[in-house]
Amino acid sequence: MLQFKNKQIDTAIFDMDGTMFDTERLRFKTLSQASEELFDKPFTEAVLMGSLGLSATKAEELAKQHYGDAFPYAAIRRRADELELLHVRTHGVPIKPGLLPVLERLRRSGLKMAVATSSRRAIAEEYLINANIFKYFDLCVCGDEVTRGKPHPEIFLRAAEALNSLPEHSLMFEDSENGLRSAVDAGGVAILIEDIKAPAAEVAARAFARYSDLRGFLADLADSTPKMAMPAVTEPFPQAVNQLKAAIHGFGAMGGGYLAQVFSHWDGYTRPCEIIASTGNALLREAVNAFGKFSVRYGSLAFDQTIENMRVVDAADDAAVAGMYRDCEIVALCLPEQAIATQAGVIAQGLAQRHAAHGRALTVLVVLNKVGGAQFVREQVAAALALTVPAGDCEQILARTHFCETVVTRIVSKLTEEALMRQLRIKRDLYEKNVAALREAAVDHTGWGDDLADAQMEAITPIVNTLRDAGEPASALSPLHLILFHGETDMPLYAQRGGKLLEHLRQIDTVDDIGEIQTLKNRLWNGTHAIIAWYAALLGHPTIGHSMGDARVQLLLDHLLDVELAPALKAAFPAMESRLPEFIDTFRHRCAHAFKDPCVRVGRDPLRKLQRDERVLGSLAMARVQGIAAPGLAFGAALAVHYALHHADTADDAECLTIREIYAQRGELQDVLTWRGDYYGQPYPGLDAVVDAEEIAAVQWHFDRLQAEGEHYLAQPALVEVCAA
């Protein structure tokens, strides 16, 4: 049972042509072609439009009124059926946008479902099977099975009766005037889905609800069906595939190892027909395209999750990247901050193409790990758009593009190219073994059709041979997984509330103030993670997970979380207090299992991690304002600079080199903390968050000890107590 706009609904009955399938235009074409072949004249538009929604008998009467009693309508209709079937068998049934998620939601809501079509059963069932939607319907009532066709209500009444339903509890979907009359007169809850010819105003007014397409109805239906709860990591993706596409601009660890999963879960009812991603890594691109899928490994669960329907394009192919913004329903932007300026023009190009093609709204998930990242991207794209389209178009495009601020709570790591190459070689060998095993175990098909009649044998042999030939490589490849990413198990992607699509995506948690979540993650996780990484790396630990076995590292982690950050965050942001325990527990669990999380990766980019109002220094300032002593955070800020100066594995790290150059000029810590200069080709805002003399002195004290005592100071078993003293 479904509550739809205050109506109790237990049944849904669908017209087929023009409502579920975009076949009315195809039907017009094949009827005209058949009429030219058999009558030397095409149908006039008046006859074609007048036939919409009519039974075959009524349509024949209309045609003979125009062309005379000798008009061979039955023969023309049979020939049109042949032409239409040929087109459908070659190109598939043209499905109306929004149909599949509508059917999935209705069926999952427990409704009984039927088709009520003027088409003959042979045609109707072939179309429903071809479109892979026959499974949704309990029964069909067809035009060759009723005495009186539309606009008479018989066909809808028979469908409702066959389902033991009352018309007043039945949604009845129609596109034509005759069909709508039939549904309304049957007493159903008539839903008008407009197609080629809108019904007369007085007829359309009788519909319970009216939509320009099924997507419009879907929006209301989604409000009447529950949003599914956050999925478990191991929960399978929806089996049903919709007609929408999603894109990932930047197929790195976060894009491939997390956003692809978010899109694959979609709303829990269906998933996109394709996920398109861009990368400049040719090896990664060709590997994914060869498999058509890839997997993410969750080591803590010993679980591999496969992302299907994937296609990866070259990040240098501007036309392909712009096409993602033109064609997809949602795009996740997962690029480094310094890359946004160079990509803004390509994004603007795609948005301009989208505006010219159909003008539909677009959601852009900005996954930038930067406070104000969505506004930053919007400004960059707006500037590029201003150079691309007229001012009026620019305003319309920006109004229809929702740049959404996000917060990611998962850590993902990507396989190295060496590991990927090794894996590809192994998979190739396994594939060849699988093929050989299949051939060795192949069944002898000699005489398989002896029990068939000659005509059956002749018809089915090429079909069976084609499927058998295709089945061998598919069977050999299907069990092989291409592992590209290692992921943690945190599921929610937090997003600023505002885009309607986001409210229905299962793995997205929309919030009123994304800034609070950003602050919580930024202060509680990002800064702490970096401090632990710098400390662990200087102590010689390869990964965060390994370092958790060191009592000194564990002591520092506990002190930062429990003694300094949690009390400071509670005092500064009381509204977030209820979320703190979950975030702290998640972070502890993550660190304990992060054996594939190298300290040098987490500790990279110390300049960025020391930015004003961010991570370490921002937390230090927050603690001071709340009157909470924070020697661990002061020690962490000092560690960042000491790490950049002394850790050998960072020779190729541009930020560590920059810190070394700044420090070499005067040898003063404060010069590093307040530096302003060129940063990845952009003016850097400086690190002058630490303006309080006491904070500078605290960081300086630890830095001087680190410089003077080095490993001896780092290796003390009770460093936190020393810090506090």
Side-chain angles (χ1 to χ4, degrees), residues 518-651:
Q518 286 174 320
T519 299
L520 187 60
K521 181 197 171 191
N522 194 289
R523 300 283 166 82
L524 191 65
W525 288 3
N526 295 352
T528 310
H529 207 208
I531 291 171
I532 294 302
W534 296 324
Y535 188 35
L538 289 166
L539 289 173
H541 297 295
T543 72
I544 298 294
H546 285 92
S547 75
M548 288 297 101
D550 188 324
R552 296 165 296 181
V553 180
Q554 186 68 59
L555 185 65
L556 179 58
L557 176 65
D558 292 342
H559 178 88
L560 287 169
L561 292 175
D562 300 331
V563 179
E564 299 184 12
L565 287 166
L569 285 165
K570 286 180 184 178
F573 304 98
M576 292 193 295
E577 183 174 354
S578 62
R579 293 185 184 268
L580 271 172
E582 179 185 351
F583 269 66
I584 290 173
D585 290 346
T586 296
F587 185 63
R588 278 200 168 98
H589 180 270
R590 168 176 295 168
C591 290
H593 291 84
F595 293 101
K596 292 184 173 65
D597 210 357
C599 293
V600 292
R601 187 192 72 82
V602 179
R604 71 188 188 280
D605 301 337
L607 269 179
R608 181 165 57 87
K609 291 178 171 65
L610 285 176
Q611 277 190 62
R612 59 190 307 167
D613 297 328
E614 293 274 342
R615 298 176 176 87
V616 182
L617 296 182
S619 296
L620 184 59
M622 175 186 67
R624 178 184 59 80
V625 170
Q626 301 303 325
I628 295 171
L633 289 168
F635 173 64
L639 270 176
V641 181
H642 184 76
Y643 173 85
L645 296 178
H646 296 284
H647 188 52
D649 290 342
T650 57

Side-chain angles (χ1 to χ4, degrees), residues 23 120 224 291 302 366 380 516 548 612-613 619 625 694 707:
T23 45
R120 294 183 294 112
S224 302
F291 278 76
V366 179
Q380 296 282 323
E516 291 187 349
M548 288 297 101
R612 59 190 307 167
D613 297 328
S619 296
V625 170
E694 291 184 9
Q707 292 293 90

Side-chain angles (χ1 to χ4, degrees), residues 219-234:
D220 282 349
L221 178 62
D223 291 336
S224 302
T225 50
K227 178 177 179 177
M228 291 197 176
M230 193 69 60
V233 178
T234 55

